[in-house]
Amino acid sequence: MVTRFANPLLATPQRPLPRTVAIIGAGTIGPDIGYYLKSALPGLKLILVDVAQAALDRALQRFADYAAKAVAKGKMSEAEAAAVTAGVVGTRDYRDLAETDWVLEAATENLALKRRIFADVEAVVRADALITSNTSSLPAAQIFSDLKHPERATVTHFFAPAWRNPVVEVVRWARTDPAVVEYLRWAFCTTGKVPLVTDDVACFMLDRIFDNWCNEAGLLLDRATAAEIDSVAGEFVHAGPFFVLNLANGNPIITETNTLQAELEGEHYRPAPVFRSVERWLTVPPGKPVGVADDITGTVRERLLGVLFSQTVDILDRDIGEPADLDFGCRQALGFKKGPLELMRDLGDGEAGRMLARFCNERRGMPAARKPLGDYQGFLRHVLVDDIGDVKVITLRRPEALNALHDELTDEILSVIRYFEEDPAVAGFVLVGYGNRAFCAGGDIGRFVNMLGDAPSSAQYARDCSRLLVHLDRMKKPVVAAINGMALGGGFELAMRCHGIVALASAWMQMPEITLGIVHGIGAMVVPYRRWPQASAEFHGMLRRAERLKATRAFELGIVDGLARDYPELIRAAVARVKALEGKVGGIPDGAVQIAPLDPIAPVAATGQPLSAEVIGILERAVEAAAAAPTFEEALEIGYRAWGDSACTAAAREGITAFQEKRKPDFTKTP
């Protein structure tokens, strides 16, 4: 029996990461998949396979070009680029695949061709080699039906650009070994992807959304132009359907995929005939819409939302995929601004239901909801919950934002804790970040700009954002933070409020708010000094100069309770720490605390960035006042008010504006 964890990194893999991978198809997406794998696993031997030597030559050149561009942008060192491009070879001979650990096919979307490829592959590879196809539409049961060992084969569907897009669908089908699916989930997550499991149906989960979204746009061309449709669609997606089809030369793809859906599921999926006769569309780029008459806008908007909602309820009614995965995948793989379930929630059940009913009436045969629309909303969007013995492991899953906190994520963590904290079968909780890069990269500062200049509102916002942290302060069951990467700002503040902290030895913490012209609003000027007064000088540097604190140093100072070498060891250490803290959780103490003196410093960050002397002054006064406060609650209140004061400075406006504009702030222009 294979245990399935919601967080793939909690699994114990049955095999190591691959040492040799072969990718069949050196056209567009194959080399991009290879570049992702080599970037994540530089020591990997990568074999590119194609029938044409010219395609192999172009693919190898693309590797060199990608690596050179990464070096030029400062995202990769010369040594790292050399490792990525080393060990990449091209071949036209399948016999060179004999010792590969994994063969990944990314050839033309042709069933007969794929079957022939896999027959040739199976004749030469080891019996334990994994075999996967990057098909976007063909069911695994059709592709792999003739294999002698189908249990080691499935679909792994990447999205363009495959070296950068985080999403990959992993298909579960009747004859594959569940352990293979779980291994692939673990391997993808370990190497930086977000694997989404889907059922084995035509077009799986996300392409059912994309293909039918585009097909519906094609069917609307009798009422609006491509430019008008893309302009209306811009409310929901970063790039309209026709603009994307031009980029991907996607008209034949829609014809093929929707023909397949029509053959398997009904004539209502039949592709718009126009896709067979048009090569490119006359449309507009993202952000430059044309004017569209109100009646046309209404028609296009309702039809596009109608097909989106129809496909959404069908996917969930048939258990093709999970609701949180569907929303995440639509945003990250397909470029939607909001996931379809989030759109339905924002519209409300009545309005979304009206649109869906109208669409199903106009497009007979298209799926309708099998239950009330509100019933589709009962799921956690941003956290994963797993059991390890009697400990609940809560994983923060916002990898697109390095697991940064926002209101909905905060409330979901709190809701899980509240639901289980009175359960006698639950010993405690572990908080960990999704993936290998970050525990939590702070708070979402998007709302800050609306409060700049309003001290009372800003202070109240800080109090509101502390609701999870204040709850942790009052808990009797232990919560342990497992810091699996960077912990920045509000992420480190969350870890501080947990009752124990364990960390990867490679992890680090930082409080960068001062570089944005603001102070720390939810406890960083208070909590660390009361929990670890012996490290107060270290916290001065973190708060005033944004100095990094390595996990190894935090362990020496007693801030971190234990260090781990890798993710599995980290989770084991966190669970053990929960068990050790059972019955021993106490609140953060009242009373004044002695801290190291705040000696004068120049207003310059550890990186050399100029800072605001005014904001540093606000921070220093708050730290000293909070340390002298007679109660912990009063100390927190000092911090909330100080955050409000900092929000009224010119430095805060410059820092937050610069962050939004993706530039360095210039505090020399502020008082």
Side-chain angles (χ1 to χ4, degrees):
M1 175 107 180
V2 177
T3 301
R4 186 182 189 279
F5 291 99
N7 178 349
L9 294 188
L10 301 184
T12 301
Q14 295 188 347
R15 61 176 80 200
L17 288 167
R19 295 179 295 276
T20 303
V21 173
I23 295 179
I24 298 174
T28 301
I29 199 164
D32 281 7
I33 295 171
Y35 187 77
Y36 136 68
L37 286 168
K38 279 291 291 181
S39 298
L41 304 170
L44 179 75
K45 180 180 179 181
L46 182 68
I47 304 171
L48 299 176
V49 187
D50 205 281
V51 295
Q53 185 61 45
L56 293 171
D57 293 340
R58 288 193 297 270
L60 294 172
Q61 184 60 50
R62 193 190 308 176
F63 263 74
D65 293 344
Y66 280 170
K69 184 178 288 187
V71 171
K73 291 185 174 182
K75 296 182 177 181
M76 191 179 286
S77 68
E78 293 280 0
E80 290 169 334
V84 168
T85 54
V88 182
V89 298
T91 185
R92 298 165 64 190
D93 190 344
Y94 278 22
R95 289 175 295 182
D96 292 334
L97 312 187
E99 294 305 315
T100 52
D101 301 310
W102 179 8
V103 177
L104 198 159
E105 171 269 324
T108 304
E109 200 79 333
N110 179 288
L111 181 59
L113 173 63
K114 290 180 186 293
R115 284 177 170 172
R116 188 163 63 250
I117 287 172
F118 287 121
D120 292 342
V121 165
E122 195 171 38
V124 297
V125 299
R126 300 194 318 261
D128 64 341
L130 294 177
I131 296 174
T132 70
S133 172
N134 181 58
T135 178
S136 62
S137 59
L138 297 170
Q142 292 187 9
I143 298 173
F144 303 117
S145 59
D146 294 335
L147 289 188
K148 295 177 182 177
H149 299 287
E151 69 279 356
R152 41 102 171 254
T154 192
V155 170
T156 50
H157 176 211
F158 293 80
F159 293 82
W163 59 272
R164 188 175 64 196
N165 195 308
V167 175
V168 57
E169 289 180 315
V170 179
V171 173
R172 60 190 173 210
W173 66 293
R175 297 180 67 187
T176 197
D177 184 347
V180 168
V181 173
E182 294 312 304
Y183 169 78
L184 289 167
R185 293 179 68 233
W186 171 82
F188 282 130
C189 194
T190 298
T191 52
K193 292 290 186 184
V194 182
L196 310 179
V197 174
T198 83
D199 211 358
D200 189 33
V201 297
C203 301
F204 315 117
M205 177 171 66
L206 296 180
D207 265 29
R208 295 184 77 83
I209 296 288
F210 176 75
D211 295 343
N212 286 295
W213 170 265
C214 291
N215 193 49
E216 204 63 36
L219 293 171
L220 279 165
L221 287 170
D222 62 342
R223 307 188 189 189
T225 66
E228 289 174 329
I229 292 169
D230 274 7
S231 296
V232 174
E235 179 184 352
F236 310 110
V237 290
H238 295 289
F242 293 108
F243 183 86
V244 175
L245 289 170
N246 281 348
L247 282 180
N249 297 315
N251 294 359
I253 296 172
I254 301 303
T255 296
E256 292 170 6
T257 56
N258 276 71
T259 297
L260 177 65
Q261 290 182 76
E263 291 172 350
L264 295 176
E265 299 183 21
E267 284 298 308
H268 46 282
Y269 284 114
R270 188 65 61 185
V274 69
F275 287 115
R276 298 181 186 274
S277 58
V278 174
E279 290 187 8
R280 295 189 63 79
W281 304 100
L282 296 175
T283 188
V284 290
K288 296 183 178 179
V290 299
V292 186
D294 289 347
D295 59 332
I296 294 176
T297 295
T299 297
V300 172
R301 187 177 188 273
E302 294 234 347
R303 281 277 292 277
L304 290 180
L305 286 178
V307 73
L308 181 63
F309 297 161
S310 173
Q311 290 304 301
T312 294
V313 297
D314 187 46
I315 287 165
L316 300 182
D317 285 337
R318 295 164 59 192
D319 293 323
I320 294 171
E322 296 292 330
D325 288 353
L326 176 58
D327 262 13
F328 179 87
C330 284
R331 293 194 311 271
Q332 298 303 312
L334 304 183
F336 279 81
K337 296 177 181 178
K338 292 183 178 181
L341 288 157
E342 187 178 4
L343 282 170
M344 291 168 70
R345 183 185 63 182
D346 290 351
L347 284 169
D349 293 353
E351 180 65 359
R354 182 194 64 76
M355 289 183 174
L356 178 57
R358 177 181 175 182
F359 174 77
C360 292
N361 183 59
E362 292 179 355
R363 294 275 281 111
R364 296 291 182 175
M366 278 295 188
R370 300 181 187 175
K371 56 188 178 183
L373 289 191
D375 291 356
Y376 294 93
Q377 298 291 344
F379 65 97
L380 296 169
R381 287 170 161 81
H382 307 292
V383 302
L384 308 173
V385 182
D386 288 292
D387 293 313
I388 296 183
D390 56 358
V391 174
K392 294 286 180 185
V393 178
I394 303 172
T395 302
L396 287 59
R397 191 180 80 160
R398 286 191 73 213
E400 72 278 18
L402 294 173
N403 305 320
L405 296 168
H406 62 1
D407 284 342
E408 195 165 42
L409 173 54
T410 295
D411 286 338
E412 287 191 356
I413 298 169
L414 185 55
S415 71
V416 174
I417 288 174
R418 281 176 168 162
Y419 187 83
F420 289 108
E421 66 181 327
E422 300 300 328
D423 187 341
V426 175
F429 305 85
V430 169
L431 300 183
V432 69
Y434 188 90
N436 284 314
R437 292 187 62 192
F439 169 71
C440 175
D444 192 335
I445 70 169
R447 286 179 57 189
F448 289 8
V449 68
N450 297 325
M451 285 169 276
L452 294 175
D454 188 336
S457 294
S458 295
Q460 186 57 48
Y461 179 66
R463 294 184 194 97
D464 294 341
C465 288
S466 297
R467 56 194 179 277
L468 167 61
L469 309 184
V470 171
H471 188 86
L472 294 177
D473 296 336
R474 299 168 180 166
M475 284 183 65
K476 299 303 179 186
K477 285 188 177 178
V479 181
V480 171
I483 299 181
N484 57 302
M486 67 180 79
L488 308 182
F492 189 32
E493 289 179 291
L494 172 60
M496 290 178 199
R497 303 293 266 277
C498 293
H499 311 110
I501 302 174
V502 296
L504 289 178
S506 59
W508 51 275
M509 292 72 87
Q510 188 180 28
M511 306 299 295
E513 277 83 344
I514 195 70
T515 66
L516 297 175
I518 55 176
V519 302
H520 310 76
I522 57 175
M525 296 183 294
V526 178
V527 174
Y529 295 103
R530 288 175 176 262
R531 288 195 64 183
W532 306 286
Q534 73 278 10
S536 58
E538 200 88 24
F539 295 127
H540 291 345
M542 294 184 74
L543 293 173
R544 295 193 296 172
R545 301 186 67 245
E547 294 174 355
R548 287 189 181 186
L549 175 63
K550 294 182 178 180
T552 49
R553 176 62 176 154
F555 179 66
E556 293 171 359
L557 292 168
I559 300 166
V560 167
D561 303 313
L563 298 175
R565 293 167 296 179
D566 54 30
Y567 204 102
E569 186 177 299
L570 176 72
I571 298 301
R572 289 195 296 271
V575 170
R577 187 64 182 148
V578 168
K579 304 296 284 184
L581 287 170
E582 279 190 274
K584 302 175 185 176
V585 173
I588 296 173
D590 290 327
V593 61
Q594 293 293 318
I595 63 173
L598 283 159
D599 296 327
I601 62 168
V604 180
T607 60
Q609 174 191 336
L611 301 174
S612 166
E614 180 186 12
V615 177
I616 290 176
I618 293 172
L619 187 153
E620 290 173 337
R621 291 190 292 274
V623 167
E624 290 178 328
T631 68
F632 176 49
E633 186 174 350
E634 289 175 86
L636 288 176
E637 189 60 33
I638 290 167
Y640 300 149
R641 292 197 298 269
W643 195 89
D645 291 340
S646 74
C648 293
T649 64
R653 184 167 297 281
E654 166 62 13
I656 299 301
T657 301
F659 180 85
Q660 292 183 318
E661 295 176 353
K662 298 182 180 180
R663 61 175 175 83
K664 291 184 178 180
D666 184 1
F667 295 122
T668 63
K669 298 179 180 179
T670 62

